[in-house]
Amino acid sequence: MAKTFKNLWGQIATFRNLAAAFTLVRQGKRFDSDTLSFYADLESNLFALEEQLQQCTWQPKPFREFWVTDPKLRLIQAPAFEDRVVHQAVMLHVAPVLQRRFIVDTFASIKGRGTHAASNRLRSFLRSASRKWEHPYIIKADIKSFFPSLPHDLLMQRLQRIFSDQDLLWFFDSLIHRSGYQGRGLPIGALTSQWLANLYLDSLDHYAKDTLGIKFYVRYMDDFVVVGESKAWCRETLARLQDHVEGLQLAMNPKTGLWPLSQGVDFVGYRHWTSHVRPRKRTLRRTRKTFKRLRGLYYEGLVDLEFIRSRVASFAGYMRHCDAHTSMGSMLENFVLVRRPSKKEID
């Protein structure tokens, strides 16, 4: 029988651990109204959470909901601030246990990995495959409606195979079954959702690597890429992976497909080839529209340079990880900021 972890709750449900979690949740949001409100009576708030967790009376609060386009429309359900502190406190002790189970080629939510590490790993795979085989092919796949489709009962079964701490399992049961979903689904926007979703597809990772023996496999959340020796091999492998996904009570996105490696592949926000990495065309189009809107806002005096600087820096950070010097230079060269002349200047 595989080892299960117990006695974690005594380390999680403590004032010290909750205080450490608060410090992490507060980073980058020190002056947000929710942060300031919680901080105004910090000690009492942390003691109240400690008591709720120790007595197993904690329940998740309603989410703050909003829509984002990244690139498709998504409903984000952000937990209440105090729930984010609780989630962080739990994951400080649970995440290291889960991470030890994960393969090295899964990259979402894991410190030290992330999108850029995933991009570099895929690029390495593409180069190795092009040297190894004459006409390699690519499988590019993702899960249809991934977060809304995650089955609660199967997810709890996976947690029960890892943890035997009954208080910790009570927490996950409360989190999963009382988050406003019936039988399926986790909220996008919660730290715990990211880790639980990653855990659920850990089964797919080990099936791909250990059972099928796929060397060139990389996953970022529900997006994954396989590089294989031929079209026939990729077609057969995709069918096996699809069967496994269906066994998880999930479904592949209909856009899943396979094509020659020479055509490149879109993954973690970039388009990859063996020799270079490019930004997504839709990202460039969206940024051009954003820059145009920012020029208009600055002209009318509705935003300042600091506001614009942060957005330009974010885009520059994205572009720094791909081969796009010409595009970057062209966009910045045309990004000229001018203020509307004041009445006094006109006179």
Side-chain angles (χ1 to χ4, degrees), residues 95-138:
V97 175
L98 298 182
Q99 186 170 336
R100 287 197 289 271
R101 299 175 57 87
F102 295 161
I103 65 170
V104 297
D105 290 322
T106 186
F107 290 86
S109 304
I110 300 173
K111 186 176 181 180
R113 299 189 193 180
T115 57
H116 301 310
S119 174
N120 291 336
R121 185 64 163 166
L122 175 59
R123 190 171 181 180
S124 172
F125 283 170
L126 296 179
R127 288 172 170 171
S128 296
S130 66
R131 290 193 297 265
K132 185 174 183 180
W133 300 308
E134 187 175 359
H135 299 294
Y137 265 66
I138 286 173

Side-chain angles (χ1 to χ4, degrees), residues 1 9-10 17 40 58 60-61 76 89 92 99 104 128 135 151 153 223 254 263 266 284 301 336:
M1 180 179 293
W9 198 246
N17 189 51
W58 173 87
K61 303 291 187 298
I76 303 298
L92 280 173
Q99 186 170 336
V104 297
S128 296
H135 299 294
D153 291 344
D223 292 332
Q263 294 182 15
D266 189 324
L284 296 180
V336 179

Side-chain angles (χ1 to χ4, degrees), residues 203-253:
S203 165
L204 176 65
D205 296 340
H206 285 283
Y207 177 71
K209 288 287 192 177
D210 302 336
T211 303
L212 299 184
I214 302 173
K215 182 177 181 180
F216 302 130
Y217 167 97
V218 58
R219 179 173 69 85
Y220 189 93
M221 198 51 71
D222 64 312
D223 292 332
F224 61 92
V225 176
V226 173
V227 188
E229 62 187 67
S230 66
K231 183 177 182 179
W233 183 93
C234 284
R235 184 183 292 115
E236 181 181 350
T237 299
L238 177 57
R240 292 183 177 182
L241 293 173
Q242 192 160 357
D243 286 344
H244 189 85
V245 167
E246 290 173 358
L248 297 175
Q249 297 186 12
L250 299 171
M252 294 278 204
N253 191 313

Side-chain angles (χ1 to χ4, degrees), residues 155-170:
L155 181 55
M156 278 303 304
Q157 289 175 20
R158 295 187 184 284
L159 289 165
Q160 290 163 0
R161 287 200 289 266
I162 302 170
F163 302 103
S164 56
D165 187 315
Q166 294 304 306
D167 290 336
L168 180 59
L169 292 173
W170 158 81

Side-chain angles (χ1 to χ4, degrees), residues 27-235:
Q27 289 179 358
K29 301 180 183 296
R30 296 183 62 180
F31 301 106
D32 286 5
S33 59
D34 290 344
T35 308
L36 293 172
S37 176
F38 193 90
Y39 184 69
D41 198 8
L42 178 62
E43 188 171 288
S44 295
N45 287 328
L46 292 178
F47 274 126
L49 289 178
E50 180 187 39
E51 182 178 3
Q52 292 172 29
L53 294 176
Q54 289 181 350
Q55 296 183 3
C56 295
T57 59
W58 173 87
Q59 295 297 333
K61 303 291 187 298
F63 297 107
R64 180 173 62 88
E65 298 186 342
F66 55 95
W67 294 89
V68 299
T69 305
D70 186 31
K72 58 186 176 183
L73 195 64
R74 296 178 185 270
L75 175 63
I76 303 298
Q77 296 168 298
F81 184 86
E82 62 187 81
D83 284 354
R84 290 170 54 208
V85 173
V86 171
H87 295 179
Q88 185 68 252
V90 172
M91 297 316 300
L92 280 173
H93 293 272
V94 169
V97 175
L98 298 182
Q99 186 170 336
R100 287 197 289 271
R101 299 175 57 87
F102 295 161
I103 65 170
V104 297
D105 290 322
T106 186
F107 290 86
S109 304
I110 300 173
K111 186 176 181 180
R113 299 189 193 180
T115 57
H116 301 310
S119 174
N120 291 336
R121 185 64 163 166
L122 175 59
R123 190 171 181 180
S124 172
F125 283 170
L126 296 179
R127 288 172 170 171
S128 296
S130 66
R131 290 193 297 265
K132 185 174 183 180
W133 300 308
E134 187 175 359
H135 299 294
Y137 265 66
I138 286 173
I139 299 171
K140 172 63 169 65
D142 67 279
I143 308 300
K144 180 182 178 181
S145 303
F146 179 50
F147 279 89
S149 300
L150 288 164
H152 293 172
D153 291 344
L154 292 183
L155 181 55
M156 278 303 304
Q157 289 175 20
R158 295 187 184 284
L159 289 165
Q160 290 163 0
R161 287 200 289 266
I162 302 170
F163 302 103
S164 56
D165 187 315
Q166 294 304 306
D167 290 336
L168 180 59
L169 292 173
W170 158 81
F171 167 80
F172 281 124
D173 186 76
S174 299
L175 187 74
I176 292 169
H177 288 102
R178 303 182 186 183
S179 296
Y181 292 85
Q182 298 298 318
R184 286 178 177 270
L186 292 177
I188 301 176
L191 173 67
T192 46
S193 295
Q194 304 295 315
W195 278 94
L196 292 176
N198 219 0
L199 170 65
Y200 196 70
L201 285 188
D202 178 61
S203 165
L204 176 65
D205 296 340
H206 285 283
Y207 177 71
K209 288 287 192 177
D210 302 336
T211 303
L212 299 184
I214 302 173
K215 182 177 181 180
F216 302 130
Y217 167 97
V218 58
R219 179 173 69 85
Y220 189 93
M221 198 51 71
D222 64 312
D223 292 332
F224 61 92
V225 176
V226 173
V227 188
E229 62 187 67
S230 66
K231 183 177 182 179
W233 183 93
C234 284
R235 184 183 292 115

